[in-house]
Amino acid sequence: MKARAWHKIWNIKTVNNLVRATSEGLYCEPGNFFIDPWKPVQTALITHAHSDHAHAGSAQYFCAEKCLPLLKHRIGHENKYHALKYGEKFKIGDTVISFHPAGHILGSSQVRIEYKGKVWVVSGDFKRGEDPSCDEFEVVHCDVFISEATFALPIYRWESGEVTAKKIFDWWQSDLERPSLLFCYALGKSQRVLAELKKFTDKKVYLHGAVENLTEIYRKNGIDLIDTAPVASMEKGYSFKGDLIIAPPSAHRSTWMKRFKDPQTAFASGWMQVRGVRRRKGYEKGFVLSDHADWIELNRTIEQTGAKTVYLTHGKTDVLERYLTEKGYEVRLFKTEYEDQEEASS
Amino acid sequence: MKAFTKLYDELDSTTSTNEKITALKKYFTNAPADDAMWAVLILTSRISKRVLTSRSLRESFLRITKYSNWLYEESYSQVGDTAETLSLLLQSLDLARHESIAPGETSDKSLSNWLEVDIPELAKIKDEDQRAEKLLSFWKELTPLEIFILNKLMTGGFRVGVSEKSVVRALSEVFNLETDQVSHRLTGATDPGAENFKRLISKEKLESLPSQPYPFCLAYAWSERTEKDWDSQRWCIEWKYDGIRSQIIRRAGAIWIWSRGEDDISVSFPDIAELFAALPDGTVLDGEIVIIKDDQIQSFQELQKRLGRKKVSALTLKNTPAAFIAYDCLETGHEDIRQISLRERKQILEKLMTPLLSKKIRLSPTLNAENPEQVEDLRALSREKQAEGVMIKDWSSSYPVGRKTGYWWKNKVDPLTLDAVLLYAQAGTGRRANLYTDYTFALWSENKELIPFAKAYSGLDQDEINQLDYWIRRHTKEKFGPVRSLEPFHVFEIGFEGIAASNRHKSGIAVRFPRILRWRKDKKFDEADHLTTAFKLLDGTP
Ligand SMILES: [Zn+2]
Ligand SMILES: [Zn+2]
């Protein structure tokens, strides 16, 4: 979804622009810091540990306390980190910044920036639906809201994670003669599923190596998850018949899958809302489960922040731009290098 | 509708044939006979009646919800299917029933009820506001998936990912019948109703309905491998005509004509039906209907003028004189003779046909080939003979049900080809939603304009599709709804089965079964073919 031909790119240096897009990332001049920069900089504020938002190489990092263990896992323990509690105010340059829960994954944050009585909020990635594996999104009042737009089309509308987890559980139980392979993003989505499944069963779930380490970090940070074991820990002849196995999408159709005889396969992602996408990706079953806001959540959130000016960073920005403009908002686009972490649909 | 929706969902979410059959068996074990019959007809694509067009479905939705047009179009271009787009937008507007609320508690209308009462009633409403109101009242009681299915049933052409073979197997396993028996009974079945389902699954040996055709035998494509041990005594060779493969049924004092698509096309060919009145009662023939003018077999387009009308006008009858070319005889003296050899059946056919032969009733001639090379020679000759290739049949074979390997082969001529420029693209549907996969190709006119001449959907592999999709998104000149006009750049070799003059197309030509043969990356767009080249193809061999 990145690098589309933008019709409008605002990249102008004006005093009014507290945050602007540069070739390194979103930049705040009065604070002389970047938010989720994709190139090494002096000071980086990180919204969350997904790889398109958290890049290594900067001199110092600011993040929410709950984000820190995941961030260290992703970009290394040796960096210089400043971890803040949610809501804790901190002065950087002429600005005051604070992190507020974004409801996306564990430790995910919106960044609030205050300067000369004006408040800007950078959403990072966010969702509004309930999620037992992370803090709930907090509405932060602001003048300018910088939002993601991954699923900014009215066809995207999510059911609660609990309802979807029940469907996953039923699918798993519907065929105990075969292994059930559920593919979903390794950081965030997997742990959300593991937390939700706990409501329906105490059976053990098996994990692909890429999911295992991240899951341990969640557990160490007090998130209650269903029992798990690494696939690799099972002896060679073990058949996984009737077991649920969670793996990242990159493992789909890889040699890793040879380990399982005649598995049923499913993919959990917001993209699964559209039947054609599921078929094209070659999964048998699709579960609609996203850690991004759906259309209604995006619009409701923008309304609740009270912002009159909205910047859009990534996703279906052109649709949301037109829709908000028609509603009377001042809308602008930031060209960023953020990608959708649920596997883009095209 | 719930049980059928569940079945659809199960069929749609597995690729395993066994699981599909298990789901079908579960459904047929519990479904009431009238619902089960509808399900059989839907799953085997025997019902494709369109009550509403996708367009009017969309218009009704926009009218009743006052939904913004462009937002609808944006959504549609992501989904690629009207029925599905509407189901998702209704969900977003809270105008669909929420699945998780009290499952099973709301009254569930049966599939038959929807198809026999509600949908026909809707079809009768002429006033657009009233129709939109009615549709909304339907949608509100359904979940998004049920809405999708209902929309598909209304707009026709509902395709479910299951083969007829699987449906037949499930029915035969649930009701303890032979698959060939179920398959035969299913042939020509087009009517719903509990009685028809009971016929389908009856254990007794039933007198078949006088109108019922036999399952058509289908041919496999001839391949190099099959040519290895050529025995000229073994093979019967005939021309393969580009017409409508049909069965003529002369029973109970009446005549029925069935097409291979299992449509009763008797009304489209009253001239043929009339001529077969002289055939003895209890006879079934297999052959091809074609249009013959001045002793020339006409293009398929001419034949299409006969189809899809309640009554064929006297003028059309005169302008499109139909003929029947007989290949085979399946029943004589009220007896099913499909088990005897082709050689014997041909003899019976000849005897039956001799008194009837005329310009309009012909016997398919048998050709000779001493070796595979001669088969190729015949094939090369076929366009001249107004055929599209040759059929190769085993003289000793019985008339098998469906496609069974080893007995019937077809060897078609190479398709006609033109190099054309990609000019428009549209997102595909279903599996191809979100990707630009529906292409329109153009040829050069004399005053150097690109004129669209064919649409094609298939022929590229997944990598090429992705590559082209990437390019399309970056080289769009204009967007009209879901369609993008493109910078002329890429050249493709387009193959097609037939070409005819047409004044309905700007290009002046219409092609049959166009498809992409090759991406001509070696060609620049100004090297693509001209329309004049296409016109030359009209006159026969290139
Ligand atoms: Zn993210
Ligand atoms: Zn992101």
Side-chain angles (χ1 to χ4, degrees), chain B residues 150-187:
Chain B
L150 178 74
N151 288 350
K152 281 287 183 196
L153 291 174
M154 289 188 293
T155 51
F158 189 21
R159 295 256 171 266
V160 185
V162 64
S163 67
E164 178 160 333
K165 225 172 169 174
S166 299
V167 175
V168 166
R169 228 183 93 191
L171 286 170
S172 63
E173 284 178 27
V174 172
F175 302 104
N176 225 340
L177 300 158
E178 294 291 324
T179 51
D180 275 2
Q181 192 176 17
V182 176
S183 184
H184 183 193
R185 286 173 180 172
L186 195 53
T187 309

Side-chain angles (χ1 to χ4, degrees), chain A residues 177-214:
Chain A
E177 292 301 305
R178 305 158 75 190
S180 295
L181 285 184
L182 177 70
F183 294 90
C184 57
Y185 196 61
L187 171 54
K189 189 76 59 69
S190 299
Q191 293 75 30
R192 185 182 180 193
V193 170
L194 292 170
E196 290 285 6
L197 281 177
K198 197 152 186 171
K199 297 173 183 168
F200 308 106
T201 179
D202 46 18
K203 281 192 179 186
K204 192 175 276 179
V205 173
Y206 295 87
L207 304 180
H208 181 279
V211 180
E212 178 63 22
N213 295 336
L214 293 160

Side-chain angles (χ1 to χ4, degrees), chain A residues 41-315:
Chain A
V41 296
Q42 178 60 34
T43 305
L45 273 59
I46 301 297
T47 62
H48 67 290
H50 274 153
S51 58
D52 57 327
H53 293 258
H55 292 265
S58 291
Q60 60 169 344
Y61 290 92
F62 286 81
C63 68
E65 239 177 19
K66 290 187 180 178
C67 176
L68 188 60
L70 290 168
L71 191 59
K72 280 183 170 168
H73 176 77
R74 186 127 260 169
I75 62 173
H77 290 255
E78 309 311 318
N79 296 305
K80 190 172 171 200
Y81 292 108
H82 307 269
L84 304 182
K85 286 193 180 353
Y86 279 139
E88 182 185 343
K89 297 206 162 159
F90 192 85
K91 208 166 167 320
I92 307 183
D94 296 333
T95 65
V96 175
I97 62 112
S98 51
F99 291 98
H100 303 265
H104 176 56
I105 62 167
L106 180 63
S108 69
S109 314
Q110 311 167 69
V111 178
R112 181 185 184 277
I113 309 162
E114 196 176 334
Y115 174 67
K116 289 190 176 164
K118 290 279 184 208
V119 175
W120 288 47
V121 168
V122 182
S123 79
D125 293 338
F126 75 97
K127 74 165 175 289
R128 302 299 301 270
E130 208 193 311
D131 179 348
S133 71
C134 68
D135 290 77
E136 194 187 336
F137 181 92
E138 178 191 332
V139 175
V140 181
H141 212 80
C142 58
D143 299 290
V144 178
F145 187 60
I146 301 175
S147 178
E148 63 139 316
T150 306
F151 288 104
L153 262 182
I155 54 168
Y156 296 110
R157 174 85 194 269
W158 318 140
E159 289 189 299
S160 79
E162 185 174 331
V163 166
T164 307
K166 179 68 174 30
K167 288 183 183 171
I168 293 173
F169 178 67
D170 290 343
W171 165 77
W172 167 19
Q173 295 303 303
S174 73
D175 195 343
L176 295 174
E177 292 301 305
R178 305 158 75 190
S180 295
L181 285 184
L182 177 70
F183 294 90
C184 57
Y185 196 61
L187 171 54
K189 189 76 59 69
S190 299
Q191 293 75 30
R192 185 182 180 193
V193 170
L194 292 170
E196 290 285 6
L197 281 177
K198 197 152 186 171
K199 297 173 183 168
F200 308 106
T201 179
D202 46 18
K203 281 192 179 186
K204 192 175 276 179
V205 173
Y206 295 87
L207 304 180
H208 181 279
V211 180
E212 178 63 22
N213 295 336
L214 293 160
T215 302
E216 270 323 298
I217 298 176
Y218 266 67
R219 226 180 238 123
K220 269 189 210 139
N221 285 273
I223 309 297
D224 197 12
L225 306 174
I226 194 168
D227 263 359
T228 60
V231 166
S233 72
M234 304 308 289
E235 72 272 19
K236 214 165 168 240
Y238 186 73
S239 75
F240 295 98
K241 231 189 204 183
D243 289 336
L244 178 70
I245 299 103
I246 294 184
S250 57
H252 186 227
R253 292 181 167 163
S254 70
T255 48
W256 175 83
M257 255 178 85
K258 291 206 177 107
R259 171 99 210 234
F260 310 95
K261 198 174 161 270
D262 185 29
Q264 53 170 350
T265 60
F267 186 34
S269 157
W271 299 112
M272 294 296 100
Q273 184 84 297
V274 176
R275 329 177 72 74
V277 176
R278 164 173 55 84
R279 294 228 187 84
R280 194 154 51 73
K281 290 201 165 290
Y283 297 97
E284 291 180 295
K285 180 91 185 161
F287 295 106
V288 183
L289 186 70
S290 176
D291 290 325
H292 293 271
D294 67 18
W295 173 255
I296 288 180
E297 292 170 357
L298 281 167
N299 281 286
R300 178 163 55 100
T301 304
I302 288 164
E303 199 180 306
Q304 287 173 341
T305 62
K308 291 287 167 275
T309 304
V310 178
Y311 284 76
L312 302 174
T313 54
H314 60 312

Side-chain angles (χ1 to χ4, degrees), chain B residues 113-380:
Chain B
N113 202 73
W114 277 110
L115 286 157
E116 289 165 24
V117 183
D118 293 284
I119 297 178
E121 266 174 21
L122 176 86
K124 276 189 228 138
I125 302 174
K126 290 279 169 285
D127 180 84
E128 288 181 21
D129 284 312
Q130 280 178 26
R131 187 166 62 204
E133 287 284 350
K134 186 83 182 172
L135 269 171
L136 186 64
S137 74
F138 286 176
W139 288 331
K140 275 181 166 170
E141 37 180 310
L142 301 173
T143 65
L145 184 57
E146 290 165 357
I147 291 175
F148 168 73
I149 290 172
L150 178 74
N151 288 350
K152 281 287 183 196
L153 291 174
M154 289 188 293
T155 51
F158 189 21
R159 295 256 171 266
V160 185
V162 64
S163 67
E164 178 160 333
K165 225 172 169 174
S166 299
V167 175
V168 166
R169 228 183 93 191
L171 286 170
S172 63
E173 284 178 27
V174 172
F175 302 104
N176 225 340
L177 300 158
E178 294 291 324
T179 51
D180 275 2
Q181 192 176 17
V182 176
S183 184
H184 183 193
R185 286 173 180 172
L186 195 53
T187 309
T190 50
D191 294 330
E195 281 311 308
N196 285 320
F197 190 69
K198 283 174 194 151
R199 281 188 70 83
L200 195 61
I201 58 163
S202 167
K203 295 240 179 351
E204 275 130 62
K205 195 171 179 296
L206 292 175
E207 269 298 288
S208 53
L209 290 172
S211 65
Q212 191 173 33
Y214 292 101
F216 282 82
C217 174
L218 307 176
Y220 271 91
W222 183 253
S223 62
E224 303 283 331
R225 235 187 52 208
T226 48
E227 292 176 34
K228 249 198 265 161
D229 317 296
W230 182 260
D231 172 2
S232 63
Q233 295 306 302
R234 185 179 166 195
W235 301 108
C236 161
I237 301 172
E238 296 173 276
W239 296 118
K240 183 179 191 314
Y241 295 102
D242 184 18
I244 299 174
R245 177 85 183 280
S246 314
Q247 270 178 47
I248 306 280
I249 296 175
R250 175 84 176 98
R251 284 186 196 131
I255 305 270
W256 287 272
I257 305 177
W258 288 91
S259 73
R260 209 200 86 185
E262 290 173 23
D263 289 314
D264 181 351
I265 51 170
S266 314
V267 291
S268 302
F269 299 97
D271 45 348
I272 300 276
E274 195 184 86
L275 292 171
F276 280 108
L279 207 59
D281 206 75
T283 308
V284 177
L285 306 176
D286 181 5
E288 196 98 12
I289 295 179
V290 292
I291 302 292
I292 300 188
K293 262 196 242 181
D294 306 325
D295 221 33
Q296 294 283 312
I297 295 177
Q298 303 295 307
S299 72
F300 195 79
Q301 270 86 0
E302 290 293 300
L303 201 46
Q304 270 172 327
K305 293 180 183 163
R306 285 288 191 100
L307 301 175
R309 304 196 181 168
K310 287 216 177 79
K311 198 174 180 297
V312 183
S313 72
L315 186 68
T316 310
L317 278 177
K318 188 166 160 269
N319 289 340
T320 56
F324 183 81
I325 305 173
Y327 295 137
D328 210 332
C329 176
L330 313 183
E331 180 178 310
T332 182
H334 297 283
E335 214 171 308
D336 177 355
I337 56 163
R338 290 177 299 158
Q339 291 312 313
I340 66 175
S341 72
L342 175 64
R343 196 180 300 280
E344 291 166 282
R345 296 200 309 276
K346 281 273 194 193
Q347 282 162 5
I348 293 169
L349 177 71
E350 207 177 320
K351 218 186 258 169
L352 280 167
M353 293 287 287
T354 306
L356 298 178
L357 292 179
S358 72
K359 275 200 160 141
K360 291 173 79 67
I361 298 187
R362 306 173 178 215
L363 265 176
S364 158
T366 307
L367 313 168
N368 233 322
E370 293 303 325
N371 50 51
E373 288 72 41
Q374 287 185 7
V375 177
E376 284 310 303
D377 292 345
L378 285 169
R379 188 181 65 116

Side-chain angles (χ1 to χ4, degrees), chain B residues 495-538:
Chain B
F496 41 92
E497 298 289 340
I499 183 165
S502 159
N503 44 24
R504 284 191 311 140
H505 296 84
K506 194 177 171 192
S507 61
I509 48 169
V511 293
R512 257 189 101 208
F513 299 135
R515 60 193 181 279
I516 301 165
L517 297 181
R518 244 172 349 139
W519 189 342
R520 296 294 306 259
K521 291 184 178 167
D522 54 323
K523 274 204 168 185
K524 289 211 180 74
F525 71 98
D526 51 6
E527 295 173 84
D529 278 317
H530 287 244
L531 268 174
T532 47
T533 318
F535 279 109
K536 279 184 203 144
L537 295 177
L538 279 176

